[in-house]
Amino acid sequence: MSDRYQDLAHNPIGKFLVKNLGLPNPPYLERYTGGPLVRGTVLTGSATNGAVAKAVTAALKSAKIEATGVAAGSKTYKGLVFDASGIDSAAGLVALQEFFTPVLRQVAPNARVVVIGALPSEAASEGAAIAQRALEGFTRSLGKEIGGGSTVNLVLVAKGAEKALGSTLGFLLSPKSAYVSGQVVRVGTTGITSAPTVKELEKPLAGKVALVTGASRGLGEADMRVLARDGATVIGLDVPPLEADLKALATELGGGYIVGDITADDAPETIAAYVKEHHGGIDIIVHNAGITRDKRLRNMKSENWQLVVDISVGAPQRITDHLLDQGLLNDGGRVVGIASIAGIAGNNGQTNYASAKAGVIGWIESLSARVADRGITANVIAPGFMETEMVKTIPLGVREAGRRMNSMSQGGLPVDVAETIAWLASPGTGAVSGNVIGVNGQMLLGAS
């Protein structure tokens, strides 16, 4: 669905009104269209005793990202990376100001800022715990003031996981993360502290098999397309009424498809039988299927409560457990659950949906610990306002509020969720597990 206000804000009259009336000014976001991950130079810096500076340099070199550690007054930067892991006191936080203040006017539109810290729970002193936790407030505030379509994110690295930064750094510095800002990515928290370096940057998922539920349209279709673009063999699953769309998409992408209802009693067995017969196992499963049945709780019907919860989290749990029990989710596999900002911040009239999506987070956090010994990761994506067909049914006032009340002043696109899934699915992201990643442009109210 087109954003007419965004177009208006960029014509001469609109620019005048936006500037003089203080109206939201949604920039045109730069998204990935192939080629280099970063088109420009990344400036790096480090506080005293930073633990990841060398790993950052190696990761940028491996990803073929141009970087420098020396600021030049006339240079424009497409990215800024600062290693704050060595800050061990409240007073030491001034290192953030000393690095960023002189260069913030030199960032290009749609730039990427990444701060890297240590896990506060692993801090060697109280001062270090204070400083490392303070990084969340810093990055989220900077994300709300930087403007120009730029993003700011924080990466917290467990001890020993410094060399597993490559895939995450590449994603957060690239246009693939256009609608991901104000997020905290934790690396190495489930005991998986290493990941291979991805050599095929254009096809990181080559040789992998991915299953996407709710695959025929919207977010699911975008997931299928991006995973296939990155080299995966895709299997789509959707309900019988959408079989024609599902078949056409799977055929176009050279993949397979399963027609069925994931809440059916025999759904886990049906999926497992298809996977075993056609591929012998899968490497990636994306639980995208979901519905809404909105009513305030006093008017809620039991069947609408149960259906929403079962599609979002009950069925995904049963299907994943069956694939694990049958040995059909390969070692080193990836499980991605789809939650929602509603499951974090709540939403009027969506007690069933918010419960379901918060339940996804609880399930994935538990699952990530349970499967870590097999090198399997489990993560959650929590989308915000997305420009899908569903938004056409939302009243205009609510729709505009959803679009404007984030740091980007606009809704996200299905591809923004899909790019985030592809990052989590990459072999190089093997040390990222148990995370909740908001793809929401950094919501201004509620949780970020």
Side-chain angles (χ1 to χ4, degrees):
M1 187 173 182
S2 64
D3 186 343
R4 294 180 180 177
Y5 175 84
Q6 183 183 43
D7 293 334
L8 172 64
H10 286 269
N11 70 35
I13 296 175
K15 287 180 180 179
F16 176 82
L17 293 174
V18 164
K19 180 178 179 180
N20 288 278
L21 297 179
L23 298 175
N25 185 15
Y28 288 119
L29 300 185
E30 179 182 307
R31 292 181 168 90
Y32 184 70
T33 56
L37 285 176
V38 179
R39 298 182 185 275
T41 303
V42 172
L43 175 67
T44 64
S46 177
T48 303
N49 298 321
V52 295
K54 290 183 179 179
V56 167
T57 299
L60 295 176
K61 183 177 180 181
S62 178
K64 300 179 181 179
I65 296 173
E66 179 184 340
T68 180
V70 180
S74 59
K75 185 78 172 178
T76 297
Y77 298 105
K78 199 64 175 176
L80 305 174
V81 179
F82 186 72
D83 175 10
S85 63
I87 302 177
D88 60 3
S89 68
L93 289 166
V94 72
L96 295 165
Q97 183 272 326
E98 291 174 342
F99 173 77
F100 284 103
T101 297
V103 296
L104 281 175
R105 288 185 175 85
Q106 296 172 239
V107 297
N110 288 283
R112 302 285 179 261
V113 176
V114 180
V115 176
I116 304 176
L119 293 174
S121 60
E122 294 184 344
S125 68
E126 191 172 89
I130 291 170
Q132 296 305 308
R133 184 62 177 82
L135 299 179
E136 290 194 34
F138 173 81
T139 51
R140 285 178 170 152
S141 293
L142 182 56
K144 291 178 178 179
E145 69 176 58
I146 192 168
S150 297
T151 65
V152 182
N153 292 286
L154 173 64
V155 181
L156 297 178
V157 186
K159 293 178 181 178
E162 294 83 4
K163 294 183 179 180
L165 274 172
S167 176
T168 296
L169 203 54
F171 170 71
L172 293 177
L173 286 172
S174 78
K176 295 180 179 182
S177 59
Y179 205 60
V180 178
S181 190
Q183 300 306 301
V184 181
V185 180
R186 294 170 176 84
V187 181
T189 55
T190 61
I192 306 174
T193 57
S194 63
T197 299
V198 177
K199 296 181 179 179
E200 296 294 331
L201 297 179
E202 294 287 330
K203 298 287 183 181
L205 301 180
K208 304 297 183 181
V209 179
L211 170 65
V212 179
T213 68
S216 62
R217 297 177 181 177
L219 298 183
E221 178 186 353
D223 299 345
M224 292 273 284
R225 291 187 181 281
V226 172
L227 291 170
R229 178 204 70 189
D230 282 3
T233 298
V234 290
I235 306 166
L237 185 154
D238 222 321
V239 292
L242 298 176
E243 180 176 358
D245 290 341
L246 179 64
K247 181 180 179 180
L249 178 63
T251 301
E252 176 190 344
L253 300 177
Y257 67 97
I258 304 169
V259 178
D261 179 351
I262 61 171
T263 67
D265 291 341
D266 63 349
E269 290 77 13
T270 299
I271 294 168
Y274 180 94
V275 167
K276 186 174 183 179
E277 177 184 354
H278 293 275
H279 302 285
I282 60 171
D283 304 285
I284 303 155
I285 180 165
V286 182
H287 291 290
N288 172 74
I291 64 167
T292 57
R293 293 292 186 270
D294 297 350
K295 289 286 184 181
R296 289 191 173 184
L297 188 58
R298 61 192 175 197
N299 300 318
M300 183 73 65
K301 293 182 179 180
S302 178
E303 57 266 31
N304 286 340
W305 179 282
Q306 294 172 352
L307 184 61
V308 168
V309 172
D310 202 34
I311 290 176
S312 285
V313 68
Q317 180 190 27
R318 294 193 298 271
I319 291 166
T320 302
D321 282 350
H322 188 70
L323 292 172
L324 287 167
D325 291 344
Q326 297 299 309
L328 295 173
L329 182 56
N330 297 330
D331 289 357
R334 305 285 186 262
V335 180
V336 181
I338 305 297
S340 167
I341 190 66
I344 299 172
N347 215 358
N348 185 5
Q350 289 194 319
T351 52
N352 53 354
Y353 184 75
S355 297
K357 294 307 185 180
V360 171
I361 296 172
W363 167 53
I364 290 293
E365 287 177 342
S366 175
L367 179 66
S368 65
R370 179 156 58 96
V371 297
D373 62 343
R374 291 182 51 189
I376 296 172
T377 68
N379 292 284
V380 178
I381 292 175
F385 186 95
M386 290 286 141
E387 298 286 357
T388 64
E389 287 297 308
M390 187 183 299
V391 307
K392 292 180 179 179
T393 65
I394 300 174
L396 177 61
V398 177
R399 184 164 69 231
E400 284 304 300
R403 282 175 170 152
R404 308 307 161 206
M405 295 177 70
N406 60 72
S407 294
M408 306 297 177
S409 297
Q410 62 192 281
L413 301 181
V415 71
D416 298 321
V417 172
E419 294 284 16
T420 309
I421 288 171
W423 157 59
L424 292 172
S426 170
T429 318
V432 177
S433 193
N435 280 254
V436 181
I437 307 298
V439 184
N440 54 40
Q442 192 181 22
M443 298 294 285
L444 298 180
L445 298 178
S448 294

